[in-house]
Amino acid sequence: MNEAVVLTPERILEVTEDVLRRFGLAKATVVDVARALDVSHGSVYRHFPSKASLREAVARRWLDRVSAPLAKIAEGSGPAPARLERWLRTLCLAKQKKVCDDPEMFATYLALAREACVVVKAHREKLADQIATILSDGVKQGAFQVTDIKGSARAILDAINRYHHPAHAEEWKDADLAVRFDALLALLLKGLEAPRKR
Amino acid sequence: MNEAVVLTPERILEVTEDVLRRFGLAKATVVDVARALDVSHGSVYRHFPSKASLREAVARRWLDRVSAPLAKIAEGSGPAPARLERWLRTLCLAKQKKVCDDPEMFATYLALAREACVVVKAHREKLADQIATILSDGVKQGAFQVTDIKGSARAILDAINRYHHPAHAEEWKDADLAVRFDALLALLLKGLEAPRKR
DNA sequence: TGAATGACAGATATTGAAATCTGTTATCAA
DNA sequence: TTGATAACAGATTTCAATATCTGTCATTCA
């Protein structure tokens, strides 16, 4: 089964993800990971200086799966308003999907978010950068009137906080979620809109 | 000390608040409350059917102290945009102040919010109603262009979620809080703004 | 020589018994 | 008759002993 496979950080991350999915964050141990890799637990520490940093690396890798497809939308072409709307909807749907599809990894993300972990902050900053790309295009297209691109990008991300931050995941089951989200998007897009040339 | 004072629900709520502040939510018991009232713990159950409902009643009373001053602003007069801004700022400042001034009661509020407690939902609904009052005035004044008053009120409350929801209290210490909040308010107010008559 | 192991110490989690809490009610006293 | 108590049962928490985990490092092996 476990043949002479070279132990790599990537391999450790894969297996750690599996262990987290199986046991949950609270019960998963470095010893579990080592056992699954058929190595001593000391070997894991050659690649990750602590259990906490292993946990962060796994979360970072997992969150990158959320932000990578969004980057494609952000860097796309076409009218900026439609692109921003698509980006925002995609982000929130992706997070909503993760709750159902990958509950234990999502719980890890929630735990890290509660700890104000740098990985979650970096993820948020990456998302804001993507929004800023779209805003910048929108200004060039004359579709958006935005003076502070980065500040507005962050404001938008804050504004939809309730729809993508893991602390609010339970609320994503509310029957009126879509209606409320639509109303918020409409308000934000209107706030970004450049005056119509008449 | 404890003379023949009639045991009333109001009195129980006051003392429960004191017990919560002293011991914190996790350690405070009905027996503690009864002891502080110099009655048997069974007596508390004559007025509140369970520990949970006592906890909720205390939280409701405490949250009413947040929403009551806001109602005064909402029902005030003057230009709706300025009033809405003042209302939003007052809400967020009040919550920020509670974290420092009343940490144990705030922690109780956080715990209830995490449980999707009806008290917290009612609080949120009350806040949205107050925003709707201001929006309605703004529409009458020709300052706001809003088609769905209630929906927009909820959208606004969602938009500032990161600045008033207890789950985000740790983030209220961020150095850039004020700048980010300002940017968000500007965006929201612009989104509400009626077209200028030219 | 670089990677892995296994032993180790201190930290943390688990466990089962004991203590305490929550909610209830028969009884008592005013 | 109403409000309070104290006793009770089942549920939950606490506690101290034990087990396990985290992180480290001397030793071994390929």
Side-chain angles (χ1 to χ4, degrees):
Chain A
M1 291 295 95
N2 294 300
E3 306 194 307
V5 181
V6 178
L7 190 62
T8 62
E10 191 58 28
R11 183 130 175 64
I12 295 174
L13 292 176
E14 279 171 21
V15 168
T16 304
E17 212 173 283
D18 294 339
V19 167
L20 281 169
R21 285 202 180 91
R22 182 166 177 199
F23 298 118
L25 182 63
K27 294 197 67 62
T29 65
V30 173
V31 176
D32 292 330
V33 175
R35 191 182 298 119
L37 288 162
D38 200 27
V39 298
S40 75
H41 81 277
S43 297
V44 177
Y45 287 94
R46 284 206 63 246
H47 297 274
F48 296 93
S50 65
K51 180 178 176 176
S53 72
L54 175 59
R55 190 176 63 166
E56 286 180 15
V58 169
R60 182 182 295 111
R61 189 169 170 269
W62 188 79
L63 287 171
D64 282 349
R65 285 188 219 129
V66 172
S67 57
L70 290 168
K72 290 197 159 50
I73 296 173
E75 287 151 15
S77 54
R83 197 178 347 148
L84 180 60
E85 180 168 346
R86 195 156 98 257
W87 190 98
L88 295 170
R89 288 185 187 281
T90 306
L91 170 66
C92 299
L93 276 174
K95 302 259 173 121
Q96 284 162 42
K97 200 165 177 310
K98 291 287 188 190
V99 181
C100 306
D101 295 359
D102 212 350
E104 291 296 347
M105 287 305 300
F106 192 89
T108 301
Y109 166 43
L110 173 60
L112 293 194
R114 279 187 183 157
E115 289 166 31
C117 168
V118 294
V119 166
V120 174
K121 284 183 176 177
H123 172 67
R124 171 178 282 273
E125 208 48 35
K126 194 180 289 186
L127 296 182
D129 283 346
Q130 289 181 22
I131 296 176
T133 297
I134 303 173
L135 292 188
S136 189
D137 276 3
V139 169
K140 282 178 194 140
Q141 291 172 2
F144 290 152
Q145 182 182 49
V146 176
T147 48
D148 174 13
I149 296 278
K150 197 60 191 286
S152 298
R154 288 202 185 104
I156 290 165
L157 199 56
D158 282 354
I160 62 168
N161 190 65
R162 198 173 168 206
Y163 297 91
H164 68 89
H165 193 289
H168 299 281
E170 281 301 307
E171 294 160 41
W172 301 340
K173 300 172 192 167
D174 289 355
D176 59 355
L177 183 82
V179 172
R180 284 184 6 243
F181 188 57
D182 287 349
L184 180 54
L185 281 207
L187 183 60
L188 293 174
L189 285 167
K190 185 151 171 279
L192 289 167
E193 178 173 279
R196 188 173 310 184
K197 297 203 169 118
R198 340 182 51 166
Chain B
M1 290 296 95
N2 293 301
E3 307 193 309
V5 181
V6 179
L7 189 63
T8 63
E10 191 58 28
R11 185 132 171 64
I12 294 172
L13 292 175
E14 278 171 22
V15 169
T16 304
E17 212 173 282
D18 294 339
V19 168
L20 281 169
R21 286 202 181 92
R22 182 166 176 200
F23 298 119
L25 183 63
K27 294 198 65 66
T29 64
V30 173
V31 177
D32 292 329
V33 175
R35 192 184 295 120
L37 287 162
D38 200 29
V39 298
S40 75
H41 82 276
S43 297
V44 177
Y45 287 93
R46 282 208 63 246
H47 297 275
F48 295 93
S50 65
K51 179 177 179 177
S53 71
L54 176 59
R55 189 177 65 168
E56 286 181 14
V58 168
R60 181 183 296 111
R61 190 167 169 270
W62 188 79
L63 286 171
D64 282 349
R65 284 188 220 130
V66 173
S67 56
L70 291 168
K72 290 197 160 48
I73 296 174
E75 287 150 16
S77 54
R83 199 180 343 151
L84 178 60
E85 181 168 345
R86 195 155 97 256
W87 191 97
L88 295 171
R89 287 185 187 282
T90 304
L91 170 67
C92 299
L93 276 174
K95 301 258 173 121
Q96 284 162 44
K97 198 163 178 313
K98 291 285 188 192
V99 181
C100 306
D101 295 358
D102 212 351
E104 291 296 346
M105 287 304 302
F106 192 89
T108 301
Y109 168 41
L110 174 58
L112 293 194
R114 281 188 182 155
E115 289 167 34
C117 167
V118 294
V119 168
V120 175
K121 284 182 177 177
H123 173 67
R124 172 178 281 274
E125 209 48 35
K126 193 179 291 187
L127 295 182
D129 283 346
Q130 290 181 20
I131 297 178
T133 298
I134 303 174
L135 292 188
S136 188
D137 276 3
V139 168
K140 283 179 193 137
Q141 292 173 3
F144 290 152
Q145 182 182 51
V146 176
T147 50
D148 175 13
I149 297 276
K150 197 60 193 285
S152 297
R154 288 202 183 104
I156 290 163
L157 199 55
D158 282 354
I160 62 168
N161 189 64
R162 199 173 167 205
Y163 297 91
H164 68 90
H165 193 288
H168 298 281
E170 281 302 305
E171 295 161 39
W172 301 340
K173 301 171 192 167
D174 289 356
D176 58 355
L177 182 82
V179 171
R180 282 184 6 244
F181 186 58
D182 288 347
L184 180 55
L185 281 206
L187 183 60
L188 293 175
L189 286 167
K190 184 148 171 280
L192 289 167
E193 178 174 277
R196 190 174 308 184
K197 297 195 171 131
R198 339 181 53 162

